[in-house]
Amino acid sequence: PNKGRFLLVCNHLSLMDPLILHHFFRKSQLAFISKKENYSMFIINKLMYKTLCMSLDREDDRAALHTIKRAIYLLQEDMASVAVFPEGYCSVDGKLHHFRNGVFKIAQRTGVPIVVCSLQNTKPIFRNALHLRRTVVPIRLVRVIQPEEYAGMMTAQIAALVYDSMSASLPKELVAQEETQ
């Protein structure tokens, strides 16, 4: 959306994904939700703090709920759009895996559009950079789901809608088999 805030949802392949999305959505201030372990990474933790990123403790439901509430606040106060990787981790095999439903509570509570994107080929960026080779990273804006489309849905239903859209945008070999059956 050209105006207003949104929830950006994307698959997660490497540590470069947030930087790529920041570049692609440079006109929109993005605040990422990131696992708490990333805050111990030198320099990256300072960048995350300055860009309103939020720490998510996946082992503590109460702390995770606090992060969700913080994301809702950022959207409601028009401070930033929120970006999430609903798989909850970087894909080890490069395939799209099942989503964690909790992040869709953000859309449910704020009524913002859900921007669905998919990335490919971000894993070899570091290796190629060491050899001074370029890496082509396809990024696809899959669709924008307006609040009217998901109004009244449970978080699991919203997750399924987003997952189906995202998986349809990727080659079949990049979608994990257990989720497609």
Side-chain angles (χ1 to χ4, degrees), residues 104-117:
F104 296 102
K105 184 66 76 183
I106 298 166
Q108 238 181 6
R109 292 278 170 92
T110 59
V112 296
I114 302 171
V115 176
V116 183
C117 286

Side-chain angles (χ1 to χ4, degrees), residues 39-180:
Y39 283 82
S40 63
M41 296 168 59
F42 182 66
I43 297 178
I44 292 183
N45 60 356
K46 303 236 185 303
L47 290 170
M48 292 171 72
Y49 179 76
K50 287 185 179 193
T51 58
L52 298 175
C53 289
M54 296 160 279
S55 171
L56 181 70
D57 185 347
R58 296 182 289 189
E59 305 301 318
D60 182 349
D61 290 343
R62 185 174 294 226
L65 181 59
H66 178 73
T67 301
I68 298 294
K69 286 180 178 179
R70 172 82 174 134
I72 291 167
Y73 174 79
L74 289 176
L75 286 165
Q76 288 175 335
E77 295 300 314
D78 197 24
M79 296 171 71
S81 290
V82 175
V84 297
F85 300 109
E87 292 168 283
Y89 55 87
C90 285
S91 175
V92 176
D93 60 7
K95 295 180 180 182
L96 181 67
H97 291 273
H98 76 279
F99 288 171
R100 295 170 188 240
N101 300 336
V103 297
F104 296 102
K105 184 66 76 183
I106 298 166
Q108 238 181 6
R109 292 278 170 92
T110 59
V112 296
I114 302 171
V115 176
V116 183
C117 286
S118 64
L119 290 170
Q120 294 177 41
N121 203 36
T122 61
K123 232 178 199 29
I125 290 174
F126 289 118
R127 184 181 64 243
N128 288 349
L130 289 173
H131 299 289
L132 302 175
R133 282 188 254 149
R134 196 173 90 155
T135 305
V136 176
V137 177
I139 181 169
R140 177 174 285 141
L141 177 57
V142 176
R143 72 182 282 204
V144 177
I145 303 171
Q146 295 299 332
E148 305 80 51
E149 280 186 75
Y150 65 82
M153 288 185 175
M154 302 294 288
T155 55
Q157 294 170 308
I158 299 170
L161 174 66
V162 173
Y163 182 88
D164 291 344
S165 298
M166 194 180 298
S167 64
S169 76
L170 294 167
K172 294 216 181 296
E173 64 271 10
L174 295 182
V175 179
Q177 289 299 313
E178 66 270 11
E179 278 74 48
T180 59

Side-chain angles (χ1 to χ4, degrees), residues 14-27:
S14 79
L15 292 174
M16 291 300 295
D17 298 349
L19 294 174
I20 291 165
L21 292 173
H22 264 298
H23 176 74
F24 189 75
F25 289 94
R26 61 184 158 268
K27 291 183 180 178

